[in-house]
Amino acid sequence: MPASISKSNADSPGFFGQRPWLWVVFAFVVLISAWSALFYIALNNQPEAVPLKHLSVE
């Protein structure tokens, strides 16, 4: 191993490894984005309104 690379630096976790809460934030952002996309698609593609006859019970 070269002298310029220390063992502690080579074995240390990356940016996200040192901050695991960022994975939780990222997961919530993805989840909210997916729900928003589904609601947007559903609202723009609503089924046509069908008038219902009132049934008279005799």
Side-chain angles (χ1 to χ4, degrees), residues 5-41:
I5 300 175
S6 66
K7 178 134 177 86
S8 64
N9 210 7
D11 292 337
S12 66
F15 181 79
F16 289 105
Q18 293 174 352
R19 298 164 183 87
W21 59 270
L22 285 177
W23 287 111
V24 176
V25 171
F26 177 71
F28 274 108
V29 168
V30 170
L31 182 67
I32 291 169
S33 300
W35 274 102
S36 298
L38 286 174
F39 280 122
Y40 178 79
I41 292 169

Side-chain angles (χ1 to χ4, degrees), residues 37-58:
L38 286 174
F39 280 122
Y40 178 79
I41 292 169
L43 287 172
N44 286 333
N45 295 297
Q46 292 182 9
E48 189 174 334
V50 177
L52 301 175
K53 289 183 191 178
H54 293 288
L55 300 176
S56 62
V57 179
E58 295 179 17

